[in-house]
C-alpha cells in the first residue's frame, strides 16, 4: 500500500512511537491523519506541531480511550467526516501493567483491554468496510515481548503475546481479501514507558526496564517510524526495528528449553 493520499488513525499518538508514526505518514503524503490519546494536553501540543509543519487541513486530534468501542466509533466517524474513509489504522496505544503474580485483577484487565481488546474492537469496526472496498491496513504495535517474553511483568508479556496472535489471525483470515496487516515488535525505544520503568521504586519493574536497556540499542521513535513506513510499502507482516530479535526468536523456536534456561539465568543477572 502507498501512504500518499491515504487516511489514517493513530492511537497512543501524544508522543513516542505514535507521534513519530503520524509525522512520517504526513511526510509521506497522507491526505489526513487523526491522532488520538488519553493525554489531552500532550496530544494537543503534538497536533499543533504537526499541523504547523504539514497543514491544519491534514491533521486532527481527538482525546479518547482506544479501548472503548464508543470512542472508537466516534474517532472513525470523525476521521471519515474530515478526511474520508479510513485506510490505515495504527493500534499503537499500550500500557505496561503490573509486575509478576502480584499484579492486581485491575492491572490484568487494563493490560488485556488496551494491549489486546482495543485491537479487536477496532478491527470489528473497520474490517467489514475494508472488505467491501477491497482494501485496508491494520498496523498493530506489539513488542519484542510478544515474540519472546518480558522479565518482570506478566501482564505485559501475556498481553503483547495476545497482540501478536490477533494480528496473525487477522492476516490469515482476511489477507486474501484486501486487508493488510503488520505487527511491530521493537525492543528498546526512547519512550516515557521505558524510562518510567527504569525510574520505578519497584525492583521488579526496574529489572524489567533494565533487561530492555541491556538487550541492544535504544532507538528513537522516528527510527522506528521509518521501519513502519517501509513495512507498509512492502506489505510486510513482522516489523523488527531491532534485527537481533529475529535471532532470539529463532533460538527460542529451535530449542525452547534451552532458551528458557537462558532467560532464567539472565533474569538472575539483572535482579
Amino acid at each position: 500500500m502507498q501512504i500518499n493520499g491515504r487516511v489514517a488513525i493513530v492511537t497512543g499518538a501524544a508522543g513516542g512511537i505514535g507521534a513519530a508514526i503520524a509525522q512520517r505518514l504526513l511526510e509521506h503524503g497522507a491526505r489526513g491523519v487523526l491522532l488520538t490519546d488519553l493525554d489531552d494536553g500532550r496530544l494537543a501540543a503534538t497536533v499543533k506541531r504537526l499541523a504547523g509543519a504539514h497543514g491544519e487541513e491534514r491533521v486532527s486530534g481527538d482525546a479518547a480511550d482506544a479501548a472503548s468501542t464508543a470512542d472508537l466509533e466516534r474517532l472513525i466517524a470523525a476521521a471519515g467526516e474530515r478526511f474520508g474513509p479510513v485506510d490505515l489504522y495504527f493500534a499503537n496505544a499500550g500500557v505496561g501493567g503490573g509486575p509478576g503474580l502480584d499484579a492486581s485483577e485491575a492491572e490484568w484487565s487494563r493490560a488485556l483491554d488496551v494491549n489486546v481488546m482495543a485491537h479487536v474492537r477496532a478491527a470489528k469496526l473497520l474490517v467489514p468496510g475494508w472488505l467491501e472496498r477491497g482494501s485496508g491496513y491494520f498496523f498493530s504495535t506489539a513488542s519484542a515481548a510478544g515474540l519472546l517474553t518480558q522479565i518482570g511483568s506478566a501482564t505485559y508479556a501475556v498481553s503483547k503475546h495476545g497482540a501478536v496472535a490477533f494480528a496473525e489471525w487477522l492476516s490469515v483470515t482476511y489477507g486474501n481479501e484486501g486487508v493488510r496487516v503488520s505487527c511491530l515488535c521493537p525492543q528498546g525505544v526512547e519512550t516515557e514507558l521505558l524510562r518510567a520503568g527504569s525510574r520505578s521504586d519497584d525492583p521488579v519493574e526496574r529489572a524489567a526496564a533494565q533487561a530492555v536497556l541491556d538487550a541492544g540499542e535504544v532507538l528513537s521513535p522516528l527510527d522506528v517510524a521509518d521501519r513502519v513506513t517501509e513495512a507498509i510499502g512492502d506489505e510486510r507482516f513482522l516489523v523488527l526495528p531491532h534485527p537481533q530479535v529475529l535471532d532470539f526468536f529463532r533460538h527460542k523456536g529451535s530449542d525452547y528449553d534451552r532458551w528458557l534456561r537462558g532467560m532464567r539465568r539472565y533474569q538472575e543477572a539483572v535482579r
Side-chain angles (χ1 to χ4, degrees):
M1 179 179 282
Q2 299 301 310
I3 295 170
N4 187 53
R6 303 288 187 171
V7 174
I9 293 175
V10 186
T11 71
I17 294 173
I21 288 173
Q23 178 177 327
R24 290 297 192 240
L25 292 173
L26 291 163
E27 291 170 353
H28 282 75
R31 180 165 79 249
V33 180
L34 188 153
L35 291 74
T36 184
D37 200 287
L38 279 176
D39 190 334
D40 197 6
R42 288 181 68 215
L43 177 65
T46 299
V47 170
K48 182 178 180 180
R49 173 176 63 83
L50 294 177
H54 302 284
E56 293 184 358
E57 72 282 0
R58 297 175 61 205
V59 187
S60 67
D62 193 332
D65 182 351
S68 162
T69 297
D71 281 7
L72 289 170
E73 289 174 336
R74 177 169 55 80
L75 293 171
I76 293 167
E81 290 172 6
R82 178 155 186 180
F83 305 121
V86 175
D87 300 296
L88 301 105
Y89 186 86
F90 294 84
N92 175 73
V95 295
L101 294 177
D102 292 331
S104 67
E105 289 287 330
E107 287 172 319
W108 273 105
S109 294
R110 187 58 177 162
L112 292 169
D113 209 36
V114 177
N115 295 347
V116 182
M117 292 308 300
H119 300 200
V120 175
R121 292 165 188 146
K124 288 175 70 173
L125 294 172
L126 289 164
V127 168
W130 289 346
L131 293 175
E132 290 181 6
R133 289 158 52 194
S135 178
Y137 212 119
F138 195 96
F139 208 108
S140 168
T141 297
S143 167
L147 298 173
L148 305 171
T149 192
Q150 175 65 48
I151 288 175
S153 179
T155 56
Y156 190 79
V158 171
S159 61
K160 290 300 184 179
H161 272 71
V164 173
F166 181 66
E168 289 175 350
W169 181 87
L170 271 183
S171 181
V172 169
T173 306
Y174 299 111
N176 288 341
E177 300 178 65
V179 176
R180 301 295 179 249
V181 182
S182 291
C183 187
L184 175 64
C185 293
Q187 280 188 315
V189 183
E190 188 60 57
T191 63
E192 179 55 32
L193 185 62
L194 176 60
R195 294 305 173 185
S198 66
R199 297 190 300 265
S200 174
D201 293 332
D202 188 303
V204 178
E205 289 185 359
R206 286 200 308 275
Q210 193 60 48
V212 174
L213 293 170
D214 290 345
E217 181 183 4
V218 176
L219 300 177
S220 76
L222 285 174
D223 287 335
V224 175
D226 286 334
R227 305 291 83 77
V228 168
T229 55
E230 290 169 3
I232 293 169
D234 297 338
E235 295 185 349
R236 176 167 21 99
F237 177 79
L238 192 58
V239 187
L240 301 176
H242 299 82
Q244 66 268 30
V245 171
L246 183 57
D247 294 330
F248 297 152
F249 191 46
R250 285 171 172 158
H251 292 320
K252 177 182 178 180
S254 65
D255 192 336
Y256 229 108
D257 290 299
R258 181 182 179 187
W259 178 82
L260 288 169
R261 289 194 298 269
M263 289 299 290
R264 288 195 291 267
R265 287 195 299 270
Y266 184 57
Q267 177 177 249
E268 292 303 317
V270 298
R271 283 185 171 177

